[in-house]
Amino acid sequence: MNDISVPEGFWPHVYGGASYFQTLGDLYVRERPDGLLVLGLRLLPQHCNRLGIPHGGMLATLADGALGINLHRARRHSPTMVTVNLSLDYLAAARVGEWLEAHVTPRRLGKQLAFGDCVLRVGEREVLRATGIFSAVARVRPVLETDG
């Protein structure tokens, strides 16, 4: 893992409050001409399973987050989006030290539901393909154990 650089055009992703997405570590974004974001990260040992390749759950988290962020942006930042369905195809392994990018294509933006595709890739090599359905929801306060 010699190269820890960030490709030109990417800047650190700023998280809005506490988020499970932060468990991925340092995440970077690059804005596309259409206003959507390409998310990227340098694969580190903390992202890997016992085989030394990125854990499927980590890849799923990145795809899910990239879809949610970009479908929200495509809807002009109106209501929060939550995952209704996420389907994944693992296509190839990536390796520690490689730069992994998430590229999202919105497919349909309805009043309640948004549909999109995400491809995770290292260079031109596709690592994962995902399709997601997200629903617009009003923000709700977190449920606490004391809420009975």
Side-chain angles (χ1 to χ4, degrees):
M1 184 178 67
N2 298 333
D3 184 11
I4 58 169
S5 65
V6 174
E8 187 175 331
F10 283 86
W11 65 87
H13 175 61
V14 178
Y15 297 94
S19 166
Y20 177 76
F21 207 47
Q22 291 173 303
T23 63
L24 294 176
D26 293 337
L27 195 63
Y28 298 86
V29 294
R30 174 177 52 85
E31 189 167 9
R32 299 182 342 193
D34 62 4
L36 298 182
L37 300 176
V38 174
L39 282 71
L41 63 83
R42 184 69 58 191
L43 290 167
L44 302 173
Q46 71 195 39
H47 298 125
C48 295
N49 60 24
R50 296 170 90 178
L51 298 174
I53 58 174
H55 190 282
M58 186 282 297
L59 297 173
T61 298
L62 179 58
D64 182 58
L67 279 160
I69 288 167
N70 280 295
L71 292 176
H72 179 69
R73 288 177 74 91
R75 290 173 54 92
R76 306 277 191 242
H77 305 277
S78 63
T80 300
M81 304 297 294
V82 297
T83 310
V84 173
N85 181 273
L86 185 66
S87 298
L88 306 168
D89 296 312
Y90 296 93
L91 305 172
R95 295 170 193 79
V96 169
E98 291 183 318
W99 179 257
L100 181 68
E101 293 181 358
H103 297 263
V104 171
T105 303
R107 295 295 176 197
R108 183 175 184 279
L109 303 173
K111 192 171 195 174
Q112 183 65 37
L113 298 176
F115 300 76
D117 299 329
C118 179
V119 175
L120 301 186
R121 52 182 194 235
V122 172
E124 295 301 314
R125 185 173 81 244
E126 292 186 357
V127 173
L128 177 141
R129 179 180 53 221
T131 58
I133 304 170
F134 287 70
S135 179
V137 297
R139 288 199 182 264
V140 295
R141 75 178 177 83
V143 176
L144 305 174
E145 285 185 35
T146 58
D147 283 351

